[in-house]
Amino acid sequence: MDTFSSMIIGAVDKTKNAVVKIDVFKTDKGKLRPAGSGSGFIFSSDGLIFTNCHVVDVAEKIMVSLLNNNEIEAELIGKDPDTDIAILKIYTQGYSVAKLGDASQLQIGQFVIAIGNPYGYQHTVTTGVVSALGRSLQTQSGRYVDNVIQSDAALNPGNSGGPMINTDGEVVGVNTAVIQGAQGLSFSVDINTAKEIARQLIKDGKVFKAYLGLQLQDVQINEKIRQHYKLSNHKGIFVTHIEANSPASRSQLLEGDIIVSFNNKPVSSSNELFKELTHREVLSVVDISVIRHTELLNFIIVPSEKK
């Protein structure tokens, strides 16, 4: 067998036993009836599962099927529509746990593998490359999900909530969406963001995130500009869109700016900005620095609490 195929098979073998099929049920005319399905993966030894919020949003009963065909009822620990992440828990034995990686190490062009249950076909594997990092994605509900990994690995209905893994078998993203009508575009929530969401949901049952009203994309900073201003970060966060009537729209931020510092700390990625926005202390006047064309500008922004 060729080396490339062996690498893919090895990565899948490390993760596949942690991937689950999720079936949701809702009462209709007095009876519990199937109301959709999706994917998920076990990420802790005590049976915690990542999936998508939209998979379990309407569920009155959630059933999880392991690779060995064991079917167990799951408890919903918490969900966050803004990142499309939900956490479930199962009380059973005989499952494997997926190893969580570090999405900050991902590179555009890097090979990735998706595992899930598209159209109910359990444990389907697809492959592709990372096409872009640090995207903001507008979901069908109109919400914006930050820190999204764009890839060309084929995803279909039922893949939602499954893992995106690297060739070491480490989970780097939670598969979340495809854009209807687009060819070869699929999206996964950065696992670093998912970890922070999981921490808050497990601890508090809900998620706090301050709101700016930005669509973003991670980009490289021009090296001459970086050296001229003695910036420590090689990357920044490109503002692709500013929502109307948002904190960002009331600041001096403009579309096309590259954010390099927030709250007096360098920020190199959407995930680093996201972490800053999970602290309630930022609900005040915050300093922000951007590169606009070739200028380094400093001004203030006042984040609000997301309702």
Side-chain angles (χ1 to χ4, degrees), residues 227-297:
Q227 290 183 10
H228 178 74
Y229 291 111
K230 297 180 173 59
L231 299 174
S232 60
N233 33 332
H234 290 264
K235 290 184 176 181
I237 313 163
F238 184 75
V239 178
T240 61
H241 177 69
I242 296 176
E243 295 178 45
N245 302 313
S246 66
S249 71
R250 292 186 284 273
S251 75
Q252 296 178 56
L253 263 178
L254 297 178
E255 292 175 5
D257 286 349
I258 299 173
I259 300 170
V260 293
S261 173
F262 183 83
N263 201 18
N264 298 312
K265 297 175 187 174
V267 287
S268 302
S269 67
S270 300
N271 187 60
E272 290 179 9
L273 178 60
F274 172 81
K275 285 181 178 177
E276 288 299 311
L277 293 171
T278 60
H279 303 299
R280 287 191 174 272
E281 305 88 76
V282 302
L283 294 177
S284 61
V285 176
V286 176
D287 291 315
I288 188 169
S289 299
V290 306
I291 294 170
R292 182 176 299 164
H293 306 303
T294 58
E295 289 186 278
L296 180 64
L297 305 176

Side-chain angles (χ1 to χ4, degrees), residues 146-218:
D146 297 327
N147 313 328
V148 171
I149 302 161
Q150 181 184 324
S151 79
D152 65 353
L155 298 180
N156 289 287
N159 269 115
S160 294
M164 178 74 72
I165 65 174
N166 61 21
T167 51
D168 292 324
E170 299 169 334
V171 180
V172 292
V174 182
N175 298 328
T176 189
V178 292
I179 292 181
Q180 296 300 320
Q183 298 294 317
L185 294 180
S186 54
F187 299 91
S188 310
V189 177
D190 176 319
I191 196 62
N192 296 4
T193 296
K195 288 179 198 175
E196 174 60 26
I197 294 299
R199 185 191 68 78
Q200 291 195 46
L201 287 176
I202 294 164
K203 180 173 175 282
D204 304 320
K206 59 182 181 179
V207 173
F208 170 80
K209 182 195 172 189
Y211 168 64
L212 294 177
L214 296 172
Q215 277 186 266
L216 305 166
Q217 183 183 341
D218 296 354

Side-chain angles (χ1 to χ4, degrees), residues 86-145:
I87 305 295
L88 310 179
K89 184 176 175 66
I90 54 173
Y91 299 88
T92 188
Q93 295 178 333
Y95 52 77
S96 298
V97 176
K99 183 179 180 182
L100 304 185
D102 180 4
S104 70
Q105 301 301 309
L106 278 176
Q107 301 287 323
I108 293 173
Q110 184 173 337
F111 211 81
V112 286
I113 305 154
I115 309 175
N117 307 291
Y119 297 107
Y121 293 108
Q122 205 158 348
H123 285 79
T124 296
V125 174
T126 56
T127 60
V129 297
V130 174
S131 308
L133 294 166
R135 293 273 200 211
S136 294
L137 172 71
Q138 189 171 19
T139 63
Q140 290 179 337
S141 67
R143 297 176 185 269
Y144 286 97
V145 180

